[in-house]
Amino acid sequence: MDLKKYVRDVPDFPSKDIIFRDITPLLGNPDALNATSEQLLQLTRGKEINTVVGIESRGFFFAPFLASRLGAGFVPIRKPGKLPGKVIGEKYALEYGADTLEILENSIAKGDRVLVHDDVLATGGTAKAACTLVERLGGTVVQCNFLIELGFLKGREKLNGFDVQALMHY
């Protein structure tokens, strides 16, 4: 199935000169949703994974599904102030600003084998921050997988050394 048919380009969102890849049509189509879920799962074939990290907010769409199908736990990585309890944070830059991600400090154990999932790999700042958080807690990032990779932004370069997989490339 050509999943790109279900991704809508939204110009100048969230700021001027940014083309936002809207996956809402993909999420709204049962066949595309199922195909996406199964194809993301196939990206992890042969990997030993016991924890799936989903990055706020659109990483939450598929990460729990992947965790369930992999027999793994799900851990959310969120923006500041959204998680209850003691957290660690990591600042990062993205294509249209800067932000911070946080994770509960007891959510990853030493030796956990982690899949980091998000919807889009753009400049790589968000994914790199998530990987740093996982590693600071003692986990090993087994793979970073994405629905979409915006190759022209060279985010893969920030994830050098990690297995990076994406379903769609722009």
Side-chain angles (χ1 to χ4, degrees):
M1 172 178 275
D2 180 9
L3 297 176
K4 283 185 176 182
K5 291 185 344 186
Y6 301 95
V7 177
R8 182 175 66 111
D9 290 350
V10 180
D12 298 323
F13 183 83
S15 60
K16 187 167 176 38
D17 297 326
I18 301 291
I19 297 174
F20 184 80
R21 307 293 179 181
D22 180 18
I23 63 170
T24 305
L26 183 145
L27 296 171
N29 182 288
D31 294 332
L33 182 62
N34 186 53
T36 301
S37 300
E38 292 303 320
Q39 288 179 36
L40 283 169
L41 186 62
Q42 289 304 310
L43 294 178
T44 67
R45 184 181 296 166
K47 303 287 184 184
E48 182 184 328
I49 296 165
N50 66 340
T51 304
V52 176
V53 165
I55 302 171
E56 184 171 338
S57 66
R58 293 182 302 163
F60 294 171
F61 293 146
F62 292 100
F65 163 82
L66 291 166
S68 175
R69 291 290 298 274
L70 291 167
F74 167 70
V75 174
I77 289 185
R78 303 214 52 197
K79 303 261 170 86
K82 302 287 187 177
L83 292 169
K86 204 160 184 164
V87 299
I88 64 169
E90 185 72 23
K91 292 183 181 188
Y92 66 99
L94 62 166
E95 66 271 26
Y96 49 85
D99 214 335
T100 300
L101 291 177
E102 293 182 340
I103 189 171
L104 288 170
E105 73 173 10
N106 62 353
S107 59
I108 303 286
K110 287 189 189 298
D112 277 357
R113 298 184 51 79
V114 180
L115 168 67
V116 173
H117 173 75
D118 204 1
D119 65 324
V120 175
L121 173 58
T123 63
T126 306
K128 177 64 174 165
C131 291
T132 299
L133 289 170
V134 167
E135 291 180 332
R136 283 175 55 195
L137 293 175
T140 299
V141 176
V142 174
Q143 184 182 85
C144 299
N145 82 16
F146 305 91
L147 287 159
I148 296 169
E149 180 178 358
L150 304 176
F152 62 93
L153 292 174
K154 302 186 186 313
R156 185 178 286 264
E157 292 174 8
K158 282 194 181 147
L159 299 175
N160 189 24
F162 295 109
D163 176 15
V164 177
Q165 302 291 327
L167 292 184
M168 294 174 267
H169 299 269
Y170 290 87

